[in-house]
């Protein structure tokens, strides 16, 4: 079944926002809290058809048969030369056919160039020009005679899903820059782990400007927590603030529709240095990943999806996630937000519900919305660009791939413009 890292079997299955605060350094009160910090929430939103249309144009053009035609896990990072690198988890390649599809419906549909099953790879990257035009797909070496994932599958089985990325000095203080990409390493699983057992957090290094994969380093390994249901994968979101990069992660409990959010911090420019990572235990920073405690604990209406986004809005921190408190399929249709005056909380919320548009489908109740991601490099007129992924998740017992490939709009990112406003405690 095609899906990215963001949907869990029951209800929910990735933001490295490595940017400086958008409004300059906030004033800090004597208590250590940010002065003049007030609650924030999504106050208004509108559809951004431009970015949605650009991914549709690129996916449909059939210029090459190893190009991206659809995917999820949408993340982005602005490169020093003005280009943007878009990162995707599960990715379809191959050819797009005009309507009607094999079911006689008026949808563009996907097929293999050889007439067989379309290629599905665990990840890819797409390069956007400075002008905002998608230009090429980055894949890896051949896999069974066809393009492989850009970040190769680990030896012994499993796969890697890219989440957030950052441009950093190659070494602290060096003038040469590289791209660091946080990866979720998942191992094959069954039952509650049908979409992969959480295994480790890794960091890949890409050269600039060529974007060549130089290597992958494990930063948080599986030995830190034996129980995979309590294991935290980091990189759902991250924000650079002062001399630190705050990296948010989540657990993946198999019996719960919601995850808890966790927090690590790394000195700016040291994401690939395993020894520099520290983990919040609720009150202190610890060297041991296994001592991390939730900064936003799941329970009742509270909790996050396994993928979520965090961004600075003035002195406040805003977290946007799937509304896991909606229950069942409702939790795969709406978004909500939390706010805090610091990355480690307390986090207030959930605040409101945003139900974004979904592509039309004969059975819209089975079309899921997930993985909300803010792309702060595209902020315009005080409005953030927010992407979300869509997928087809049913009905039970019906394979998803033929439905997703029978209507390419069911597996491509869509975009909104969101404006923040006041929120009470």
């Amino acid at each position: 079944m095609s899906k990215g890292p963001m949907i869990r079997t029951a209800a929910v299955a990735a933001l490295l926002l490595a940017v400086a605060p958008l409004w300059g350094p906030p004033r800090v009160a004597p208590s250590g809290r940010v002065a003049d910090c007030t609650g924030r929430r999504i106050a208004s939103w509108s559809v951004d058809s431009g970015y949605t249309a650009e991914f549709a144009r690129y996916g449909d053009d059939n210029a090459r048969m190893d190009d991206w035609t659809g995917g999820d896990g949408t993340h982005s990072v602005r490169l020093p030369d003005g280009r943007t690198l878009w990162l995707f988890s599960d990715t379809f390649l191959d050819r797009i056919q005009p309507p009607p599809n094999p079911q006689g419906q008026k949808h563009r549909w996907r097929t293999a160039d050889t007439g067989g099953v379309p290629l599905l790879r665990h990840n890819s990257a797409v390069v956007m020009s400075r002008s905002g035009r998608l230009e090429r797909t980055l894949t890896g070496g051949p896999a069974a005679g066809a393009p492989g994932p850009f970040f190769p599958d680990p030896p012994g089985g499993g796969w890697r899903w890219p989440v957030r990325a950052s441009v950093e000095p190659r070494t602290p203080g060096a003038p040469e820059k590289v791209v660091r990409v946080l990866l979720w390493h998942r191992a094959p699983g069954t039952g509650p782990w049908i979409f992969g057992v959480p295994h480790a957090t890794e960091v890949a290094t890409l050269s600039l400007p060529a974007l060549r994969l130089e290597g992958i380093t494990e930063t948080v390994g599986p030995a830190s927590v034996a129980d995979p249901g309590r294991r935290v994968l980091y990189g759902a979101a991250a924000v650079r603030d002062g001399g630190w990069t705050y990296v948010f992660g989540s657990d993946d409990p198999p019996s719960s529709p919601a995850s808890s959010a966790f927090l690590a911090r790394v000195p700016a420019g040291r994401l690939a240095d395993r020894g520099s990572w520290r983990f919040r235990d609720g009150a202190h920073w610890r060297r041991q990943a296994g001592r991390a405690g939730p900064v936003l604990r799941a329970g009742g209406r509270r909790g996050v999806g396994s993928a979520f986004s965090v961004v600075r809005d003035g002195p406040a921190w805003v977290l946007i996630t799937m509304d896991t408190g909606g229950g069942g399929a409702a939790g795969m249709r709406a978004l909500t937000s939390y706010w805090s005056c610091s990355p480690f909380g307390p986090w207030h919320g959930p605040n409101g519900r945003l139900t974004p548009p979904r592509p039309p489908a004969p059975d819209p109740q089975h079309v899921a919305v997930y993985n909300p991601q803010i792309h702060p490099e595209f902020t315009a007129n005080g409005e953030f660009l927010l992407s979300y992924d869509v997928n087809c998740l049913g009905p039970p017992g019906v394979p998803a791939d033929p439905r997703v490939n029978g209507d390419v709009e069911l597996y491509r990112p869509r975009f909104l413009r969101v404006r923040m406003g006041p929120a009470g405690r």
Side-chain angles (χ1 to χ4, degrees):
M1 173 181 177
S2 67
K3 59 156 296 302
M6 319 316 176
I7 303 179
R8 187 174 300 121
T9 306
V12 292
L15 185 20
L16 176 59
L17 298 176
V19 295
L22 301 177
W23 283 271
R27 296 189 298 111
V28 179
S31 63
R33 295 286 179 179
V34 176
D36 301 327
C37 175
T38 58
R40 308 297 289 168
R41 62 184 293 176
I42 295 176
S44 62
W45 62 272
S46 60
V47 171
D48 189 305
S49 58
Y51 286 94
T52 302
E54 176 58 17
F55 276 96
R57 179 205 64 79
Y58 180 72
D60 290 345
D61 71 5
N62 286 331
R64 293 167 45 137
M65 294 304 103
D66 60 354
D67 273 359
W68 181 99
T69 64
D72 67 358
T74 310
H75 298 81
S76 67
V77 58
R78 179 66 55 80
L79 304 179
D81 60 9
R83 295 176 299 164
T84 301
L85 182 67
W86 293 87
L87 299 164
F88 291 91
S89 299
D90 287 353
T91 301
F92 277 110
L93 307 178
D94 277 324
R95 183 178 293 276
I96 301 301
Q97 305 287 354
N101 67 8
Q103 292 74 43
Q105 299 165 330
K106 296 180 179 179
H107 301 309
R108 289 184 174 85
W109 55 289
R110 182 185 297 107
T111 186
D113 195 41
T114 59
V117 177
L119 289 175
L120 175 67
R121 294 295 179 248
H122 287 130
N123 61 71
S124 70
V126 181
V127 180
M128 175 180 276
S129 71
R130 295 176 62 183
S131 65
R133 185 176 178 86
L134 297 167
E135 295 185 324
R136 63 188 177 106
T137 299
L138 306 179
T139 54
F150 183 59
F151 304 99
D153 292 341
W159 53 88
R160 292 176 167 116
W161 279 326
V163 277
R164 289 304 305 174
S166 173
V167 174
E168 293 188 342
R170 179 175 289 280
T171 57
E176 184 185 4
K177 305 291 186 182
V178 295
V179 180
R180 309 286 192 197
V181 182
L182 283 148
L183 305 172
W184 289 353
H185 175 178
R186 286 184 176 260
T190 59
W193 305 115
I194 190 173
F195 300 130
V197 178
H199 186 74
T201 301
E202 301 172 327
V203 176
T205 298
L206 308 183
S207 67
L208 284 171
L211 298 173
R212 179 177 62 86
L213 176 60
E214 297 185 344
I216 296 175
T217 301
E218 183 180 275
T219 53
V220 185
S224 60
V225 177
D227 179 2
R230 297 180 52 249
R231 199 171 289 157
V232 178
L233 297 183
Y234 290 90
V239 180
R240 186 175 298 165
D241 184 52
W244 302 97
T245 298
Y246 291 93
V247 186
F248 293 81
S250 60
D251 58 9
D252 198 0
S255 60
S256 172
S259 296
S260 295
F262 294 76
L263 181 66
R265 73 176 185 182
V266 187
R270 295 180 179 267
L271 277 175
D273 180 6
R274 180 173 185 161
S276 295
W277 284 60
R278 299 292 184 268
F279 305 89
R280 190 74 177 179
D281 70 356
H284 305 95
W285 296 101
R286 303 292 188 181
R287 289 179 175 270
Q288 302 85 1
R291 300 188 66 176
V295 295
L296 196 166
R297 187 181 298 274
R301 293 191 60 240
R302 288 173 63 85
V304 297
S306 56
F308 54 90
S309 180
V310 179
V311 69
R312 293 297 301 273
D313 185 39
W317 299 66
V318 180
L319 184 154
I320 299 175
T321 179
M322 291 182 291
D323 184 5
T324 59
M332 302 298 292
R333 297 177 188 168
L335 313 178
T336 190
S337 66
Y338 296 80
W339 70 271
S340 176
C341 291
S342 76
F344 42 83
W347 287 93
H348 306 277
N351 298 297
R353 299 182 83 230
L354 188 165
T355 304
R358 294 173 289 164
D363 49 357
Q365 69 273 23
H366 298 301
V367 178
V369 168
Y370 58 106
N371 185 31
Q373 293 294 319
I374 293 284
H375 304 272
E377 62 268 37
F378 295 106
T379 301
N381 300 319
E383 295 180 327
F384 292 109
L385 182 69
L386 182 146
S387 68
Y388 61 97
D389 297 328
V390 295
N391 204 339
C392 184
L393 296 183
V398 176
D401 284 2
R403 299 162 67 83
V404 167
N405 289 322
D407 180 0
V408 295
E409 289 191 26
L410 291 176
Y411 203 57
R412 287 175 175 172
R414 302 171 79 85
F415 293 85
L416 305 175
R417 284 285 174 183
V418 298
R419 184 179 295 275
M420 304 298 175
R425 290 181 179 270

